[in-house]
């Protein structure tokens, strides 16, 4: 069973430690990219390496994908083979549901790549992983992410307060659900 997902313009593949430099300099270390998310921007490439180890895909001895608490892909432009972002499904233990998440380099904003990638990931979630429902959310001020979630067909569920991972601050958010 493969976890490589292809779209018209993109190849989605698991990230590896070899991607650390591009990820750190492209999006994980960029404060503007991290402005509306619950994680903090990485302060060094070591932070990105630790994150890559944390999101590593797990397989059994025959190569089948094992159940995991996250499924994250790197977003690669098919035409140039450039890695420019990441996204996927992250288990939300409080709500007992997978939540979508995504981040891409600023140079690739407003091209429809995130929506295209997430459509393919949601299809993979349904058809390969057997996931039936997912959630998504965005900071109220993050209008670009709101557009992505709405284009994907998510339905508004509630307003919320999303804390940063370090617990020092939080932002007002809107939460959505999608039946797959």
């Amino acid at each position: 069973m493969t976890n490589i997902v292809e779209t018209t313009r993109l190849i989605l593949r698991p990230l590896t430690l070899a991607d650390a430099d591009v990820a750190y300099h492209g999006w994980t270390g960029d404060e503007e990219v991290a402005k509306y998310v619950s994680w903090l921007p990485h302060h060094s490439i070591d932070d990105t390496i630790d994150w890559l180890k944390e999101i590593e895909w797990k397989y059994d001895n025959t190569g089948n994908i094992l159940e995991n608490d996250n499924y994250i892909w790197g977003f690669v432009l098919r035409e140039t083979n450039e890695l420019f972002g990441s996204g996927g499904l992250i288990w939300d233990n409080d709500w007992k549901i997978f939540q979508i998440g995504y981040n891409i380099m600023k140079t690739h904003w407003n091209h429809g790549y995130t929506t295209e990638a997430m459509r393919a990931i949601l299809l993979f979630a349904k058809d390969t992983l057997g996931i039936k429902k997912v959630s998504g959310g965005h900071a109220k001020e993050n209008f670009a992410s709101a557009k992505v979630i709405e284009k994907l067909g998510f339905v508004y569920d509630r307003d919320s307060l999303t804390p940063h991972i370090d617990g020092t601050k939080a932002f007002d958010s809107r939460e959505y659900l999608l039946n797959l």
Side-chain angles (χ1 to χ4, degrees):
M1 172 186 330
T2 183
N3 52 2
I4 305 294
V5 179
E6 297 189 38
T7 71
T8 305
R9 300 181 295 168
L10 306 174
I11 298 169
L12 311 178
R13 61 161 176 80
L15 293 164
T16 68
L17 291 178
D19 297 319
D21 190 60
V22 172
Y24 175 68
H25 293 289
W27 69 94
T28 65
D30 188 322
E31 289 192 26
E32 191 173 353
V33 171
K35 182 176 182 180
Y36 296 120
V37 296
S38 60
W39 53 270
L40 299 170
H42 296 176
H43 298 294
S44 71
I45 197 160
D46 291 334
D47 291 343
T48 300
I49 290 169
D50 290 344
W51 170 68
L52 289 168
K53 288 177 183 176
E54 181 183 320
I55 65 163
E56 195 171 51
W57 287 68
K58 295 171 183 62
Y59 307 91
D60 67 16
N61 292 337
T62 59
N64 292 314
I65 299 166
L66 292 174
E67 189 173 326
N68 200 352
D69 60 356
N70 64 66
Y71 301 93
I72 307 295
W73 286 263
F75 298 172
V76 177
L77 283 175
R78 179 185 291 280
E79 190 173 295
T80 63
N81 206 34
E82 176 192 12
L83 175 65
F84 68 93
S86 62
L89 307 160
I90 303 101
W91 181 252
D92 185 324
N93 209 32
D94 293 334
W95 294 97
K96 305 294 185 220
I97 192 170
F98 278 100
Q99 182 175 44
I100 64 167
Y102 40 82
N103 296 283
I104 67 171
M105 293 178 185
K106 291 181 295 208
T107 54
H108 292 69
W109 289 358
N110 300 310
H111 295 281
Y113 296 137
T114 302
T115 303
E116 184 176 332
M118 293 312 297
R119 272 195 183 112
I121 288 169
L122 291 170
L123 188 62
F124 183 93
K126 176 185 174 191
D127 293 346
T128 304
L129 301 174
I131 296 171
K132 302 198 182 317
K133 188 177 208 174
V134 294
S135 69
H138 63 84
K140 286 185 177 180
E141 298 84 20
N142 189 347
F143 302 113
S145 195
K147 285 181 187 177
V148 170
I149 287 173
E150 289 166 10
K151 285 179 188 176
L152 293 171
F154 280 79
V155 176
Y156 172 77
D157 183 56
R158 67 190 177 284
D159 284 348
S160 186
L161 188 66
T162 301
H164 272 252
I165 199 162
D166 68 351
T168 60
K169 60 182 176 176
F171 55 87
D172 291 325
S173 60
R174 293 178 56 86
E175 302 296 326
Y176 300 77
L177 294 170
L178 178 67
N179 291 315
L180 300 177

